[in-house]
Amino acid sequence: MTGNPRSRRIADSIKKIVATALDSRVKDPRLGWVTITDVRVSGDGQQASVFYTVFGGEEERRATAAALKSSTGMLRTEVGKGLGIRLTPSLKFFEDAIPETAKTIDDLLVEARSRDAELARYKEGKEYAGGENPYRDDADADGAGDIDDIGAEAADDDAAADSGAAVSEGEDGERA
């Protein structure tokens, strides 16, 4: 559906038509507070997957699913009238998992904040075991033995070898 602009337009139209029909035409008492979140149309336009969310508990979700299943034919008729295309896609309803996913993410964020606060309380008044930088010692204060110096010495050796400086080789061909 993402690559076909016609399928996207049809999906948007189906979303509006189904939402309007659920609000005005479907009189089933089992139908709860439904929100149509997304519609995906197959590439050939034969099937439409309608995703919805329901406000309420498990009982409201089951009742709404049953109401949508029983009103699928009437909703497909409304979609056919509203679209005005030769083939009306068949509708299939799926409960969207967005609210559960959002709640899970919110719970994880709350847990992360509480752990961060606990860690901040634990760190109050504490110092690092080796000071601010445990890898730096007093011998490095003058700059002797830095990593950059080691790299410079290796570069000097390579430059001397490239410039034709006398390099003696042993019997087995290794440098001495």
Side-chain angles (χ1 to χ4, degrees):
M1 183 184 97
T2 58
N4 190 346
R6 182 175 185 267
S7 294
R8 255 185 280 131
R9 284 193 313 268
I10 291 172
D12 289 340
S13 296
I14 290 173
K15 183 176 178 179
K16 291 174 188 169
I17 293 167
V18 169
T20 304
L22 286 174
D23 189 36
S24 62
R25 299 265 309 167
V26 177
K27 304 298 183 198
D28 195 330
R30 299 175 294 177
L31 190 65
W33 291 91
V34 179
T35 302
I36 304 299
T37 57
D38 193 19
V39 176
R40 296 182 186 151
V41 178
S42 64
D44 60 359
Q46 298 273 332
Q47 288 119 11
S49 300
V50 181
F51 294 89
Y52 67 94
T53 60
V54 180
F55 182 74
E58 188 62 36
E59 182 60 35
E60 287 85 5
R61 290 179 186 163
R62 278 195 295 261
T64 299
L68 288 172
K69 186 174 183 176
S70 68
S71 62
T72 300
M74 188 272 300
L75 290 171
R76 184 173 183 217
T77 302
E78 291 295 317
V79 167
K81 289 178 187 175
L83 287 179
I85 58 177
R86 186 169 61 94
L87 295 173
T88 302
S90 62
L91 302 177
K92 190 158 187 182
F93 290 93
F94 297 98
E95 187 173 357
D96 207 345
I98 289 174
E100 291 82 18
T101 305
K103 182 173 177 2
T104 303
I105 291 172
D106 284 343
D107 292 344
L108 290 172
L109 288 173
V110 166
E111 182 180 343
R113 284 187 195 110
S114 68
R115 287 184 180 183
D116 286 347
E118 180 183 336
L119 182 63
R121 284 191 303 274
Y122 180 74
K123 287 172 54 176
E124 282 181 12
K126 308 279 175 143
E127 292 183 21
Y128 292 107
E132 284 295 320
N133 187 355
Y135 301 107
R136 183 175 288 243
D137 60 357
D138 294 335
D140 288 340
D142 63 350
D146 286 345
I147 297 287
D148 296 334
D149 294 341
I150 295 170
E153 291 172 5
D156 290 343
D157 292 342
D158 290 341
D162 290 340
S163 66
V167 176
S168 62
E169 294 183 5
E171 291 179 18
D172 55 354
E174 291 184 17
R175 292 185 196 185

